[in-house]
Amino acid sequence: MCGVSSWVDKVAGRWGTGYNFWMATVVPSLRVKVLFFGRLRELTGLAEEAGELPEGATLAQVFERYAERYPKLTGFRNSMVVSRNQEFAAWDARISAGDEIAFLPPVSGG
């Protein structure tokens, strides 16, 4: 009986979507622009990139996504700063559609 119940749920879901086939649930996403400066640009090979992230994502989650692709970024996490729309921001700040996110490495001078 369990198989019939799941089939009925699928059929009900299918017809509830207005399509004559099963539709997967879509997770809303936000499009942002991500910038890399200095040594971070060298490590990624990217000056900028457009990306899509799920609604509710934080700046830390944006960084984690790039750190998965470019593991050497991880070593800079504690000494770098992040900005959102050209203003310094906290790592736990949530992103919005159209945001410009920049990762800035530590700067030294003399």
Side-chain angles (χ1 to χ4, degrees):
M1 199 66 164
C2 192
V4 172
S5 175
S6 64
W7 180 82
V8 170
D9 291 341
K10 285 184 179 180
V11 170
R14 176 183 67 189
W15 292 112
T17 64
Y19 295 98
N20 62 356
F21 53 89
W22 182 252
M23 293 290 296
T25 303
V26 175
V27 177
S29 63
L30 307 169
R31 191 153 187 81
V32 296
K33 181 174 164 181
V34 182
L35 307 172
F36 295 92
F37 290 92
R39 180 77 174 123
L40 305 176
R41 180 187 298 183
E42 294 170 13
L43 290 173
T44 63
L46 301 170
E48 69 179 65
E49 181 175 73
E52 287 199 23
L53 295 139
E55 281 186 1
T58 64
L59 293 171
Q61 290 170 321
V62 175
F63 179 80
E64 289 166 12
R65 174 177 272 191
Y66 284 96
E68 287 176 9
R69 285 173 48 193
Y70 308 99
K72 290 184 179 182
L73 287 177
T74 306
F76 288 87
R77 171 64 166 82
N78 292 329
S79 60
M80 63 189 291
V81 293
V82 62
S83 72
R84 188 183 73 202
N85 300 324
Q86 300 180 5
E87 293 184 10
F88 291 118
W91 286 99
D92 61 352
R94 301 226 179 262
I95 62 168
S96 299
D99 278 353
E100 179 184 85
I101 300 162
F103 295 111
L104 305 142
V107 179
S108 63

